[in-house]
Amino acid sequence: MATITYREAVVRALDEELARDENVIFFGEDVGKAGGVFKVTPGLYEKYGADRVRDTPISEVAIVGAGIGAAVTGLRPVIELMFADFAAVTLDQIVNQAAKLRYMSGGQIKVPLTIRAAQGGGAGFASQHSQCCEAWFMQAPGLKVAVPSNPADVLGLLKSAIRDDNPVIFLEHKNQYAEKGEVPDGEHLVPFGVAKIVREGSDVTIVATQRMVAVANKAAQELATQGISCEVIDPRTLVPLDMDTILASVKKTGRLITVEEAVHAGGWGGEVATQVTDAAIWYLEAPVIRVTMGSSNVPFSQPLEEAVIPDSKRVVEAVHRALKP
Amino acid sequence: MATITYREAVVRALDEELARDENVIFFGEDVGKAGGVFKVTPGLYEKYGADRVRDTPISEVAIVGAGIGAAVTGLRPVIELMFADFAAVTLDQIVNQAAKLRYMSGGQIKVPLTIRAAQGGGAGFASQHSQCCEAWFMQAPGLKVAVPSNPADVLGLLKSAIRDDNPVIFLEHKNQYAEKGEVPDGEHLVPFGVAKIVREGSDVTIVATQRMVAVANKAAQELATQGISCEVIDPRTLVPLDMDTILASVKKTGRLITVEEAVHAGGWGGEVATQVTDAAIWYLEAPVIRVTMGSSNVPFSQPLEEAVIPDSKRVVEAVHRALKP
Amino acid sequence: MSMTVTTTLKLDAATRLHMLHQMIEVRSVEARIQELFLENVIRGTTHLCDGQEAVSVGMAAVIDAKRGDTVTCTYRGHGHALALGLPLKSMMAEMMGKAAGCCKGKGGSMHLTDMSKGLIGTFAIVGAGLPITNGAALTAQIKKTGAISISIFGDGTANIGAWHEAINLAAVWKLPSVFLCENNLYGEYSAYGDTAPVPNVADRAAAYNIPGVIVDGQDAEAVYAVVKEAADRARSGAGPTLIEAKTYRFRGHSRTDPAAYRPAGELAAWQARDPITVLSARMIADGQLTESELTKMKNDADQLVEETTRWALEQPYPSVDSVNDDIWV
Amino acid sequence: MSMTVTTTLKLDAATRLHMLHQMIEVRSVEARIQELFLENVIRGTTHLCDGQEAVSVGMAAVIDAKRGDTVTCTYRGHGHALALGLPLKSMMAEMMGKAAGCCKGKGGSMHLTDMSKGLIGTFAIVGAGLPITNGAALTAQIKKTGAISISIFGDGTANIGAWHEAINLAAVWKLPSVFLCENNLYGEYSAYGDTAPVPNVADRAAAYNIPGVIVDGQDAEAVYAVVKEAADRARSGAGPTLIEAKTYRFRGHSRTDPAAYRPAGELAAWQARDPITVLSARMIADGQLTESELTKMKNDADQLVEETTRWALEQPYPSVDSVNDDIWV
Ligand SMILES: Cc1ncc(C[n+]2csc(CCOP(=O)(O)OP(=O)(O)O)c2C)c(N)n1
Ligand SMILES: Cc1ncc(C[n+]2csc(CCOP(=O)(O)OP(=O)(O)O)c2C)c(N)n1
Ligand SMILES: [Mg+2]
Ligand SMILES: [Mg+2]
């Protein structure tokens, strides 16, 4: 067991897969010579050379398209879009092309492409550099979506993403890059579609992703001191989504709270909640509560930004409300 | 009361607003000289001239951007993106710029822009020309979203959209253009955020939009013959969303079914359903069921396309399930 | 500035005959498809290419799928697909949404695909194919296969961002990409000159420091020559070329377009340079073909298309259970 | 091909003094902002413009907000905003996310906006400002106000689709837009030549059949001259111009960038052509300024910035209840 940062987990996964399979290539804006804007990919350019690790012009449409075409013809490209917000300039290539080519071609085409991007707020980057964008991708059947919350999952999920024959959107939380965590020694792969029960509990089920996992845990700890037992679940991948684990937990606790660092409409919490209220409503002993950013944009000013992003206080309130007789 | 088509309602709304306010302009690909790819805008170019009604190059980013800049500086542009699927090539201008400029500028900027696009399947246009895209826009606070289901609402909502000081996404269903309906004589405005109870009922609440309203009605008629009374609600606008009307109905019926011509994840049904299960779960006597396209793309082949798009049979099944003791 | 190439290259009789044969077949297919649409046997929309067949066959003659050469094209792709070798049956069945179609009925007219023939995608979003061709070219560059990738698109496409980004990236990375523009004078119902500020699409090549070549799109041999030269250049590592084939669609943009926007006489003037006539006349002059052989070729093509149509009509639709197949690997 | 303009225009002493004063103020502000970031008084990120001040003041001297002239710029916009007249207090408060900021603390460094000064937006998405400038130009064209709109962007931006689409539309519609590129040799950490295949951004103007002009971005008067000419051309209805100002940022791309990628001596060479020195030397030579006056101007600027900083530090944050204000009209 070594302790590494979320950032180091990214580069380790890329390094291991670039070394393992010569068909793996990696490109994006300033990911090569400079080692990435988030300093996430240092050394890869020097180690694997200018052919396999490339800097690109500022051309997200061309970057994703090149990734698709290379994947269709036999490579396993990993591309970086830097800030996930920038996916909006190339959404067509992602949701209309990468996601649908296999379907439209009747299964002739395979797109083993991994698209990395950093999302999330909390650092004062304002409205155009702070969004959580998973919803854009969950709506495109054909795309898998990973949202790792810790270094071990970054490592294991990114390696699985690169080996997956489907296009994968790999969303890193930019405010977690410095977070440390233990990772197993040797090869570490985390399968898609397997949620992690981060904390066991019996009174309330809390589903959270990325930075919100820690927020949920903090709330759970505080609630434990009040004799309230929370089960915290991290889906780890949103497509595929491990509803079995979530449903089993809700059937046990009878209460569901989702915690999202995203706007309410279209968020993954809606998918989790509606699958639960369709399949397990008779088990529910409380309203299903979604803790989200509501209908807010991410402001620059610190107190305002802290007000829109869910914190443990809001999770605690939600749990109390769910437990109100 | 005149009877006009959904298509004619679009051009009537544009004509009335272009005539009423010289600040209203209209542009897009082939909307002028040719009268639009869906033959929705004939005569406007001849009537209002090449300055106010313009054909553009195939440049959706430039089109939306020009609409934003013109709106910010005092005009009330209406632009057409033809197929809503194409919004994916310019999503940044829509969700990162149009939606956020006012917020990021601390309220200095106003963007009275109306973006028209035709969405929906059923005509054999395959995966890249048949999507319902409302979810992309609902997730961007600052954008209003209209989804008219009949000629009167097209007329009244489009006129309201053009007069709105916020950016509005106006989604027409391309398979409804030929549908006829009555429209009031004289000026007809429909306010945003006011749902329409299309059919009153007491056993089940069915919320549906656009082509699914007719599907829900058909199911309701069939169910009526079985002694089951359905209330069918058409929200008409998804942002703002009239939850009061929906909640009142669910509190009366105790059962909620949403019918969407879209993929399950991220759909508006998730927003409706989770707001209900948060605010009114104690009124629910059945699982909340969402009838959607599940996790499918829209295929070309007719029998396959008919299989993915919800029909009245699936709605009837859902109602029966909701009524199962 | 771009240069105009008027080639005097003469291909051997066999190659010419093959090209002529393909063009005649495409012409016959397009006519039949239009009828089938009007009869509502085929649904949705279609974008016919008759008048532009020389581009399809000139381009296809350069492609070697075995080596890994690839092509991306647009919804106006029937001719390109057939010229690349997509079996007529697979295409006709696909047009009707039948299980025997190349895409199992899921793609239809706008998404013909045949990986075995190098046709890695037909894109219905304007400009979407160019960036993807770069990716195929990138694979060739990294794996040193000597393969190239050709992206075919129309004149109106030169105004969309994807076009600019893709050509720029290919130029910067010296990718073995070939950008082949079919300038048929219109983008939908808009004349080229109404939406672009430069006389020729190829004039824009200078902005990427790559060659811009204009060729007679009605002359299959001339198209072959410039595409071959661009392909050789790409294989040599010298990077991409932007080719503009001046051509014309004999029909409207899509099924529903009567093409009323065309000036009187324009169609007739272009029909006078029908690519089938251009090549067949040359072959007759060179003693490689007789009028009666030409007539027979046309009749044979019509008959083949008719038989294939009947065959396709009898094919079953895909089973409804297959609707969610092929979303995931 | 683009043409290089070396102007000999001499502005009057008052205008020169105003430009010099603004450049000195911007320089002082940027230095202070960098400190405040390092002290974590300002959060997030910032993109300083020192070294590029001549572009800001030369551009701003052409803008008449009263007439309706507008500007869109980028996250590297402090200098442009101040030169256009954004009050220093509004800016400093905004940098700290205070209620007194021009955007009430919601925008920060990357989104400075002042509608009253014609600054209709500062965009943090590369290329996003150009299409929006066209819209402002469209309003001017339709309302015949005689106004123009300038979009300012960097060299790396010329590779993104929005750039191509916007310049093309402006050329086709002959919009009164002016596209002003600050070529500071780098896009983030990438040298211009590594991501573009042409020597100059302005070389691409030919692809849109509009003038492409290269100007010394360290010479405020030269920048003024070319922007003025482009603005007059736009007002006359002749359409847009693409201007490339050759300049250099004296610091890294953003707060966290040590700019290790710069070749040795490059910074020094450009500092030798510091825009403040270029103009002040000329004024001293022309007897319009003395060394001591110059020194006093710099000290006064530092003092003003210091006072404004202290003022801003004492300003309150916006109330948390305001977080959802200004999403909707
Ligand atoms: C991004 C996008 N915008 C608009 C359309 C609608 N559309 C389909 S074909 C077409 C015209 C394309 O013209 P051109 O590139 O000249 O090709 P041609 O049809 O003439 O072969 C347009 C605008 C589209 N499919 N995709
Ligand atoms: C669409 C998009 N892609 C990438 C980025 C990240 N980014 C911010 S600034 C920048 C470099 C821009 O370079 P240039 O246009 O030369 O402007 P400069 O910063 O040098 O003034 C990049 C890549 C972005 N903000 N938006
Ligand atoms: Mg064309
Ligand atoms: Mg730069």
Side-chain angles (χ1 to χ4, degrees):
Chain A
M1 279 286 184
T3 297
I4 65 174
T5 62
Y6 192 98
R7 172 181 279 116
E8 289 162 343
V10 175
V11 72
R12 176 165 154 191
L14 289 169
D15 187 12
E16 289 180 7
E17 294 306 301
L18 279 159
R20 186 186 61 82
D21 180 353
E22 65 172 16
N23 289 322
V24 176
I25 61 171
F26 175 48
F27 56 92
E29 293 159 19
D30 293 308
V31 299
K33 291 201 195 95
V37 166
F38 299 107
K39 306 278 170 285
V40 172
T41 58
L44 299 177
Y45 176 82
E46 294 69 16
K47 186 167 176 186
Y48 298 100
D51 221 32
R52 290 180 65 198
V53 178
R54 297 185 178 213
D55 291 319
T56 68
I58 307 169
S59 310
E60 283 77 12
V61 174
I63 292 166
V64 177
I68 294 169
V72 167
T73 50
L75 296 181
R76 294 192 166 278
V78 181
I79 61 178
E80 176 182 305
L81 290 181
M82 203 183 308
F83 287 78
D85 314 66
F86 307 160
V89 303
T90 183
L91 201 74
D92 175 71
Q93 285 287 325
I94 300 172
V95 306
N96 285 335
Q97 314 306 333
K100 297 187 172 74
L101 281 178
R102 181 172 183 78
Y103 190 73
M104 296 189 303
S105 68
Q108 291 182 69
I109 292 177
K110 227 171 58 177
V111 188
L113 169 67
T114 301
I115 301 178
R116 289 182 46 240
Q119 69 174 5
F125 282 99
S127 297
Q128 294 184 334
H129 284 67
S130 303
Q131 299 165 89
C132 283
C133 304
E134 56 265 336
W136 292 341
F137 311 114
M138 290 181 70
Q139 291 152 28
L143 296 180
K144 293 187 176 180
V145 181
V147 285
S149 68
N150 61 77
D153 288 345
V154 167
L155 176 62
L157 288 169
L158 183 49
K159 285 165 64 74
S160 296
I162 295 168
R163 299 182 191 192
D164 199 299
D165 278 341
N166 299 284
V168 177
I169 310 297
F170 193 86
L171 297 166
E172 298 154 21
H173 197 297
K174 72 173 78 71
N175 270 10
Q176 295 193 280
Y177 280 128
E179 289 180 16
K180 286 197 166 58
E182 289 196 328
V183 296
D185 303 328
E187 175 116 306
H188 176 58
L189 290 166
V190 174
F192 275 50
V194 181
K196 186 171 156 195
I197 299 178
V198 178
R199 177 190 178 102
E200 296 208 348
S202 52
D203 299 330
V204 182
T205 299
I206 306 177
V207 183
T209 55
Q210 297 198 311
R211 217 158 57 107
M212 295 299 108
V213 174
V215 168
N217 271 328
K218 186 154 176 271
Q221 278 155 28
E222 183 179 329
L223 288 157
T225 65
Q226 303 167 17
I228 300 166
S229 162
C230 299
E231 182 145 293
V232 178
I233 297 177
D234 174 0
R236 303 201 286 191
T237 62
L238 295 170
V239 182
L241 181 61
D242 179 3
M243 282 307 298
D244 295 347
T245 298
I246 294 168
L247 281 165
S249 177
V250 172
K251 288 177 180 177
K252 178 176 67 175
T253 64
R255 295 176 178 81
L256 172 65
I257 287 162
T258 61
V259 189
E260 296 162 84
E261 186 188 327
V263 292
H264 194 279
W268 59 259
E271 186 62 11
V272 168
T274 57
Q275 287 200 40
V276 167
T277 50
D278 182 316
I281 194 156
W282 301 129
Y283 294 84
L284 289 172
E285 295 163 25
V288 174
I289 301 171
R290 292 177 58 197
V291 179
T292 68
M293 279 174 37
S295 182
S296 300
N297 289 309
V298 181
F300 167 72
S301 185
Q302 185 154 10
L304 299 187
E305 184 174 24
E306 287 167 355
V308 299
I309 297 176
D311 56 14
S312 61
K313 195 168 142 301
R314 286 179 55 197
V315 177
V316 168
E317 285 163 10
V319 170
H320 283 153
R321 181 151 79 85
L323 287 162
K324 249 210 320 299
Chain B
M1 280 285 182
T3 298
I4 65 174
T5 62
Y6 192 99
R7 173 181 280 115
E8 289 162 343
V10 175
V11 72
R12 176 166 154 189
L14 289 169
D15 187 12
E16 288 181 6
E17 294 306 301
L18 280 158
R20 186 186 61 81
D21 180 353
E22 66 172 15
N23 289 322
V24 176
I25 61 171
F26 175 49
F27 56 93
E29 292 160 20
D30 293 309
V31 299
K33 291 200 195 94
V37 166
F38 299 107
K39 307 279 171 286
V40 171
T41 59
L44 299 177
Y45 176 83
E46 294 69 17
K47 186 167 176 186
Y48 298 100
D51 219 33
R52 290 179 64 197
V53 178
R54 297 185 178 213
D55 291 319
T56 68
I58 307 169
S59 309
E60 284 75 12
V61 174
I63 292 166
V64 177
I68 295 169
V72 167
T73 49
L75 296 180
R76 293 192 167 277
V78 181
I79 61 178
E80 176 183 304
L81 290 181
M82 203 182 308
F83 287 79
D85 314 67
F86 308 159
V89 303
T90 182
L91 201 75
D92 176 70
Q93 285 288 324
I94 300 172
V95 306
N96 285 336
Q97 314 306 333
K100 297 188 172 76
L101 280 178
R102 180 172 184 78
Y103 190 73
M104 297 190 301
S105 67
Q108 291 182 68
I109 291 177
K110 225 170 58 176
V111 188
L113 169 67
T114 300
I115 302 178
R116 289 182 46 239
Q119 69 173 7
F125 281 100
S127 298
Q128 294 183 335
H129 284 67
S130 303
Q131 298 164 90
C132 281
C133 304
E134 56 264 338
W136 291 342
F137 312 114
M138 289 181 70
Q139 290 151 29
L143 296 181
K144 292 187 175 181
V145 181
V147 285
S149 68
N150 60 77
D153 287 344
V154 167
L155 176 61
L157 288 170
L158 184 49
K159 284 165 64 72
S160 296
I162 294 168
R163 300 182 190 193
D164 200 298
D165 278 339
N166 299 284
V168 177
I169 309 298
F170 194 86
L171 297 166
E172 297 153 22
H173 197 298
K174 71 173 78 71
N175 269 10
Q176 295 193 278
Y177 279 129
E179 289 181 14
K180 288 195 162 60
E182 290 195 328
V183 297
D185 303 326
E187 176 117 303
H188 177 57
L189 290 166
V190 173
F192 275 50
V194 180
K196 185 172 157 194
I197 297 177
V198 178
R199 177 190 180 103
E200 295 209 349
S202 52
D203 298 332
V204 182
T205 299
I206 306 176
V207 183
T209 55
Q210 296 198 313
R211 216 156 58 106
M212 294 299 109
V213 174
V215 168
N217 271 328
K218 185 153 178 272
Q221 278 155 28
E222 185 179 329
L223 289 158
T225 65
Q226 304 167 15
I228 300 166
S229 162
C230 300
E231 181 145 293
V232 177
I233 297 177
D234 175 359
R236 302 199 287 190
T237 62
L238 294 171
V239 181
L241 182 60
D242 179 2
M243 282 308 299
D244 295 348
T245 298
I246 294 169
L247 282 166
S249 177
V250 172
K251 288 178 179 175
K252 177 175 69 176
T253 64
R255 293 176 182 81
L256 172 65
I257 288 162
T258 61
V259 189
E260 296 162 85
E261 186 187 329
V263 293
H264 195 279
W268 59 259
E271 186 62 10
V272 168
T274 56
Q275 287 201 39
V276 166
T277 50
D278 182 316
I281 194 157
W282 301 129
Y283 292 85
L284 289 172
E285 295 162 27
V288 174
I289 301 170
R290 293 177 57 197
V291 179
T292 69
M293 279 175 36
S295 182
S296 300
N297 289 310
V298 181
F300 167 71
S301 185
Q302 184 153 12
L304 299 188
E305 184 174 25
E306 287 168 355
V308 298
I309 297 176
D311 56 15
S312 60
K313 198 170 140 299
R314 286 179 56 198
V315 176
V316 168
E317 284 163 9
V319 170
H320 283 153
R321 181 153 79 86
L323 286 162
K324 246 206 307 357
Chain C
M1 268 294 134
S2 52
M3 70 176 168
T4 303
V5 171
T6 42
T7 174
T8 50
L9 161 127
K10 280 181 173 231
L11 292 165
D12 59 79
T15 309
R16 282 178 158 185
L17 197 65
H18 178 65
M19 285 180 162
L20 182 63
H21 181 269
Q22 286 189 315
M23 290 197 289
I24 288 170
E25 192 171 294
V26 170
R27 181 68 54 89
S28 176
V29 169
E30 296 294 61
R32 192 70 183 92
I33 286 175
Q34 179 69 5
E35 291 168 8
L36 292 165
F37 266 94
L38 298 180
E39 297 161 17
N40 280 309
V41 170
I42 297 181
R43 61 199 291 259
T45 184
T46 187
H47 307 79
L48 304 178
C49 71
D50 37 352
Q52 308 184 190
E53 295 92 343
V55 181
S56 300
V57 301
M59 170 279 300
V62 177
I63 291 294
D64 177 355
K66 305 267 160 313
R67 176 178 28 202
D69 292 347
T70 53
V71 175
T72 63
C73 69
T74 76
Y75 49 84
R76 198 176 304 287
H78 303 168
H80 305 315
L82 289 171
L84 286 167
L86 173 67
L88 184 57
K89 285 182 165 180
S90 306
M91 174 171 148
M92 276 310 229
E94 188 62 34
M95 298 297 301
M96 300 180 193
K98 300 300 183 75
C102 52
C103 304
K104 302 180 188 166
K106 287 185 167 129
S109 167
M110 294 201 288
H111 301 294
L112 299 175
T113 305
D114 187 342
M115 292 294 281
S116 71
K117 299 296 191 295
L119 181 57
I120 63 172
T122 297
F123 300 86
I125 302 290
V126 163
L130 288 88
I132 293 171
T133 258
N134 280 342
L138 178 61
T139 298
Q141 185 182 63
I142 288 176
K143 294 195 155 188
K144 303 189 175 48
T145 60
I148 58 140
S149 187
I150 299 179
S151 186
I152 306 164
F153 55 89
D155 47 288
T157 303
N159 299 325
I160 200 159
W163 183 91
H164 172 69
E165 291 191 15
I167 297 181
N168 185 68
L169 184 69
V172 170
W173 282 359
K174 293 215 171 309
L175 294 173
S177 300
V178 176
F179 300 104
L180 176 54
C181 176
E182 297 181 282
N183 186 340
N184 57 12
L185 311 200
Y186 298 93
E188 273 180 5
Y189 320 138
S190 295
Y192 168 74
D194 295 346
T195 62
V198 285
N200 309 294
V201 171
D203 297 342
R204 295 184 155 177
Y208 311 98
N209 196 14
I210 64 172
V213 183
I214 296 170
V215 65
D216 176 1
Q218 306 309 89
D219 181 343
E221 289 180 294
V223 171
Y224 170 81
V226 297
V227 175
K228 178 74 166 59
E229 189 185 344
D232 293 343
R233 184 170 186 281
R235 298 187 208 283
S236 78
T241 300
L242 174 58
I243 299 169
E244 176 178 11
K246 302 285 192 182
T247 183
Y248 196 77
R249 51 168 157 78
F250 288 171
R251 301 176 190 265
H253 167 69
S254 65
R255 179 176 57 124
T256 51
D257 172 24
Y261 44 83
R262 295 173 170 185
E266 186 178 79
L267 175 59
W270 280 89
Q271 280 171 326
R273 302 209 59 257
D274 184 321
I276 294 174
T277 318
V278 168
L279 183 58
S280 59
R282 201 177 289 162
M283 291 174 72
I284 289 165
D286 293 350
Q288 299 168 327
L289 183 77
T290 66
E291 282 293 354
S292 60
E293 285 170 330
L294 178 60
T295 311
K296 183 171 187 314
M297 282 174 79
K298 291 180 177 174
N299 295 337
D300 292 352
D302 291 342
Q303 197 184 329
L304 175 69
V305 168
E306 194 44 47
E307 284 161 9
T308 310
T309 301
R310 271 198 241 92
W311 172 85
L313 284 166
E314 285 154 15
Q315 291 302 303
Y317 282 106
S319 96
V320 166
D321 320 341
S322 74
V323 69
N324 285 339
D325 295 351
D326 299 322
I327 293 175
W328 308 104
V329 177
Chain D
M1 265 298 144
S2 52
M3 69 175 170
T4 303
V5 171
T6 41
T7 174
T8 50
L9 162 127
K10 282 184 172 222
L11 292 165
D12 58 78
T15 308
R16 280 178 158 184
L17 197 66
H18 178 65
M19 286 181 162
L20 181 64
H21 180 271
Q22 287 189 314
M23 290 197 288
I24 288 169
E25 190 171 295
V26 171
R27 180 69 55 89
S28 175
V29 168
E30 296 295 62
R32 192 70 183 90
I33 287 175
Q34 178 70 4
E35 291 169 7
L36 292 165
F37 265 93
L38 298 180
E39 298 161 16
N40 281 308
V41 169
I42 298 181
R43 61 199 288 262
T45 184
T46 187
H47 307 79
L48 304 178
C49 71
D50 39 353
Q52 308 184 188
E53 295 92 344
V55 181
S56 300
V57 300
M59 171 279 300
V62 176
I63 292 294
D64 177 355
K66 304 267 161 312
R67 172 174 36 198
D69 292 346
T70 53
V71 175
T72 64
C73 69
T74 77
Y75 49 84
R76 197 176 304 287
H78 303 169
H80 306 315
L82 289 171
L84 286 167
L86 173 68
L88 185 57
K89 284 181 166 180
S90 305
M91 174 172 150
M92 277 310 229
E94 189 61 34
M95 299 296 301
M96 299 180 192
K98 300 300 184 76
C102 52
C103 304
K104 303 180 188 166
K106 288 186 166 123
S109 166
M110 294 200 287
H111 301 295
L112 299 174
T113 305
D114 188 341
M115 291 295 281
S116 70
K117 298 296 191 297
L119 181 57
I120 63 172
T122 297
F123 300 87
I125 301 291
V126 163
L130 287 88
I132 293 171
T133 260
N134 280 342
L138 179 60
T139 298
Q141 185 183 61
I142 289 176
K143 294 196 155 185
K144 303 189 175 50
T145 60
I148 58 140
S149 187
I150 300 179
S151 186
I152 307 164
F153 55 89
D155 47 287
T157 302
N159 298 325
I160 200 160
W163 183 92
H164 172 68
E165 290 191 14
I167 296 181
N168 185 68
L169 184 69
V172 170
W173 283 359
K174 292 214 173 309
L175 294 173
S177 300
V178 175
F179 300 103
L180 175 54
C181 176
E182 297 182 280
N183 186 340
N184 58 12
L185 310 201
Y186 298 93
E188 271 181 5
Y189 320 138
S190 294
Y192 168 73
D194 294 348
T195 61
V198 284
N200 309 293
V201 170
D203 297 342
R204 295 185 155 176
Y208 311 98
N209 196 14
I210 63 171
V213 183
I214 296 171
V215 64
D216 177 1
Q218 306 309 90
D219 180 343
E221 289 180 294
V223 170
Y224 170 81
V226 297
V227 174
K228 178 75 166 60
E229 189 185 342
D232 293 344
R233 183 169 186 280
R235 297 187 209 283
S236 78
T241 301
L242 174 58
I243 299 169
E244 176 178 12
K246 301 284 194 183
T247 182
Y248 196 78
R249 52 168 157 78
F250 288 171
R251 302 178 188 263
H253 165 70
S254 64
R255 177 175 59 123
T256 51
D257 173 23
Y261 44 82
R262 295 173 169 182
E266 187 178 78
L267 174 59
W270 280 90
Q271 280 171 327
R273 303 211 56 258
D274 184 322
I276 294 175
T277 318
V278 169
L279 183 58
S280 60
R282 203 177 288 162
M283 291 175 70
I284 289 167
D286 292 352
Q288 298 166 329
L289 183 76
T290 66
E291 283 293 354
S292 59
E293 283 169 334
L294 178 60
T295 311
K296 181 169 188 313
M297 282 174 79
K298 291 179 175 174
N299 295 339
D300 292 351
D302 292 343
Q303 196 184 328
L304 175 68
V305 168
E306 194 44 46
E307 285 161 7
T308 310
T309 301
R310 272 199 239 91
W311 173 85
L313 284 167
E314 287 154 12
Q315 292 302 304
Y317 282 106
S319 98
V320 166
D321 321 339
S322 75
V323 69
N324 285 337
D325 295 351
D326 300 323
I327 293 174
W328 308 105
V329 177

